[in-house]
Amino acid sequence: MDGLDAAPVPEGERRRVAVIGAGLVGLASALWLARLGHHVTVVDRAPPEPGGSYRQACSYGNACTVAPHGVVPVATPGIAWRVPGMVLNPAGPLAIVWRYLPHLAPWLRAFLAASRPAEVERIAGTLAGLLRHADAAYRPLVEEAGARHLERHAGCLYLYRSDAAFAAAEADNRLRERHGVALERLDAVAIRALEPRLAPLYRRGVLYPDAYTFDSPQVLAVAFAAAIRKRGGAIVRAEVRDLRCEGEGVRVGTDGTALRAERLVIAAGAHSRALVRQLGEDVLLDTERGYHVLFPEAGHLLGRPVCYPEHGFYMTPMADGLRAAGTVELGGLAVPARPVRTRMIRQTVAELLPQAGAPGAEWMGFRPSMPDSLPVVARSARHPAVTYAFGHGHLGLTLAGITGRLVADLVSERPPVLPLATLRHDRFDAWGGKPGPG
Ligand SMILES: Cc1cc2nc3c(=O)[nH]c(=O)nc-3n(C[C@H](O)[C@H](O)[C@H](O)COP(=O)(O)OP(=O)(O)OC[C@H]3O[C@@H](n4cnc5c(N)ncnc54)[C@H](O)[C@@H]3O)c2cc1C
């Protein structure tokens, strides 16, 4: 079990814990807390239910991939030169909505600072530490939820159209290797043997053999919710409107009945900043919007997630078909989805996988993203009863299990299984700088 399963806390230390957010991070946190004996209530405006809509959660629409190779942060050296292109080309894999730029300035400043080589090394080290435990921390939850059948273990494939593109990606792969990520470099013949239905638009590729997928993140979320209920926890459908710390506990005001809890976990994904502010703190959380297009008839065409990094999205075989999911758009929570983004995905899939057939449902969702690609897993500095768990960016599905395990440690006031100093919410100031000492 990799030493990650935990004994329940003694009777007298079990708390009534409210968890805001039934995305995978909130659910995994609640399930770990329930396993330790706490009494949990998860509050979400649209929690996962069989047959219900879960599309508002980022956990609904992702590329379904547990990605141990995800040690490379989004901002890497040279990204600053790409910013003008991001603003000018709304169809690019990384785009910025120009009218959102003024709001984005502090986040962007910190994002660019995170791309310095020394920072990339530091961030990769922290991500690697989390990723190393990601699977072991999922195992007990997936077993308990009876969700093993959702897993497909076939690795994940990155492809490059030219030798030059492959060579340019070598710096990332060496970084991965330094952090113990297993990978196999492939030539065109080996790629064709793995994925014979892809158009032969590749020269080289890399297989990450330890990556795996869940057939449906929504079904996984429904299974986690059922497991929480089975342990006596509650899942409440309500919109959280206001938060107040009262005495040693917290009052959670909703559009329905207010709730009182001894401990609170904020795991509201990209919407967490507004809740943190209600408690008199702040966090430099924004969103990297992502999109998906489903190809309902194409689920059988690929054996594993396939990604051309130059296009910025995965093509993942999953329960509903082939989901082409990814890209980054910095545009905040209020700007409507931009059709140009899914058009680019549709056109590119038609080129890469000509048999994909007609596209079906489209989706846009909000990755909860910190500028340095690291999540926030921390206790509030002002209110010891409150724990923060959000900001997982591109890795929320992957890191939900280990985050839940760490949240359970924090709430139980046990030493966390991993060091958390680099995951504090107040590691950036409001202008995107780093707060000075003292
Ligand atoms: C296109 C795309 C592809 C991706 N692919 C992958 C991948 O392959 N692998 C991977 O690891 N990650 C991937 N990700 C990232 C991953 O999906 C996210 O990091 C993760 O889902 C975040 O989970 P969360 O629980 O923090 O937030 P969410 O899933 O967004 O959940 C937050 C929940 O909080 C609720 N909420 C918010 N505010 C309130 C309120 N005031 N009151 C009540 N409820 C509230 C919302 O309703 C929501 O259900 C991808 C993301 C995108 C967009």
Side-chain angles (χ1 to χ4, degrees):
M1 186 74 57
D2 197 20
L4 280 183
D5 213 354
V9 297
E11 195 75 39
E13 294 172 23
R14 299 181 177 184
R15 304 284 175 236
R16 275 181 299 115
V17 188
V19 178
I20 305 178
L24 284 167
V25 172
L27 292 168
S29 300
L31 188 48
W32 266 117
L33 284 161
R35 288 171 66 87
L36 264 59
H38 297 290
H39 311 287
V40 295
T41 301
V42 182
V43 189
D44 197 295
R45 54 168 78 104
E49 279 160 12
S53 174
Y54 186 50
R55 289 174 63 91
Q56 90 296 339
C58 192
S59 298
Y60 165 83
N62 53 53
C64 315
T65 306
V66 174
H69 50 283
V71 300
V72 184
V74 180
T76 50
I79 191 111
W81 299 105
R82 294 174 61 194
V83 169
M86 291 182 212
V87 179
L88 293 172
N89 179 12
L94 238 151
I96 300 179
V97 178
W98 68 266
R99 66 188 140 120
Y100 190 64
L101 254 180
H103 304 278
L104 194 63
W107 191 96
L108 202 54
R109 177 184 169 211
F111 177 76
L112 295 177
S115 72
R116 289 198 300 262
E119 275 296 273
V120 170
E121 282 293 334
R122 182 188 69 78
I123 293 163
T126 300
L127 283 174
L130 291 165
L131 288 163
R132 217 167 285 134
H133 299 283
D135 181 58
Y138 247 135
R139 251 351 71 224
L141 308 187
V142 173
E143 298 289 345
E144 174 165 350
R148 274 296 297 272
H149 66 284
L150 296 174
E151 291 179 14
R152 290 194 206 185
H153 290 258
C156 171
L157 192 56
Y158 278 25
L159 297 181
Y160 301 90
R161 290 177 188 243
S162 66
D163 291 329
F166 175 74
E170 272 299 274
D172 288 356
N173 280 322
R174 283 194 295 271
L175 183 64
R176 292 185 175 103
E177 285 177 315
R178 279 205 300 286
H179 288 291
V181 174
L183 57 87
E184 295 163 28
R185 294 173 177 82
L186 306 176
D187 61 15
V189 174
I191 296 165
R192 185 152 188 79
L194 282 177
E195 297 295 354
R197 284 164 176 130
L198 275 176
L201 296 170
Y202 44 74
R203 291 276 303 170
R204 300 294 306 271
V206 179
L207 178 72
Y208 303 102
D210 296 334
Y212 62 93
T213 56
F214 287 109
D215 243 357
S216 164
Q218 175 166 4
V219 175
L220 181 68
V222 169
F224 280 3
I228 291 164
R229 286 198 187 95
K230 218 165 163 188
R231 282 193 179 260
I235 314 273
V236 173
R237 178 182 289 267
E239 164 99 23
V240 175
R241 294 270 168 84
D242 62 277
L243 295 176
R244 223 177 308 141
C245 287
E246 288 180 341
E248 305 246 303
V250 185
R251 180 185 181 280
V252 180
T254 75
D255 52 355
T257 322
L259 221 123
R260 281 192 174 71
E262 294 168 282
R263 299 286 182 267
L264 174 70
V265 178
I266 297 183
H271 308 275
S272 299
R273 187 175 190 179
L275 297 170
V276 171
R277 281 177 160 170
Q278 293 202 16
L279 295 172
E281 292 191 295
D282 201 2
V283 60
L284 199 59
L285 177 76
D286 211 290
T287 178
E288 292 172 83
R289 296 143 55 108
Y291 290 79
H292 85 220
V293 178
L294 181 72
F295 293 82
E297 311 300 330
H300 63 291
L301 295 179
L302 296 178
R304 57 192 53 73
V306 172
C307 171
Y308 279 76
E310 69 184 279
H311 298 302
F313 63 84
Y314 280 33
M315 297 181 285
T316 305
M318 47 101 61
D320 304 334
L322 187 84
R323 183 183 274 184
T327 74
V328 169
E329 183 182 53
L330 302 175
L333 297 168
V335 175
R338 297 198 296 176
V340 62
R341 313 252 345 125
T342 42
R343 193 181 319 137
M344 181 279 276
I345 295 177
R346 287 196 307 269
Q347 287 168 351
T348 309
V349 171
E351 183 195 6
L352 301 175
L353 199 57
Q355 304 166 51
E362 298 187 355
W363 173 87
M364 188 263 280
F366 302 108
R367 291 186 193 88
S369 296
M370 295 295 287
D372 58 1
S373 300
L374 292 173
V376 169
V377 184
R379 190 163 312 131
S380 154
R382 288 173 67 128
H383 307 290
V386 180
T387 297
Y388 299 138
F390 49 74
H392 292 73
H394 295 240
L395 291 173
L397 171 75
T398 304
L399 296 178
I402 183 63
T403 301
R405 180 67 179 76
L406 291 164
V407 165
D409 285 339
L410 287 176
V411 172
S412 307
E413 297 182 35
R414 291 176 169 178
V417 287
L418 289 173
L420 295 178
T422 50
L423 307 184
R424 289 178 59 95
H425 56 290
D426 51 6
R427 59 187 187 260
F428 299 106
D429 63 28
W431 297 276
K434 300 224 172 176

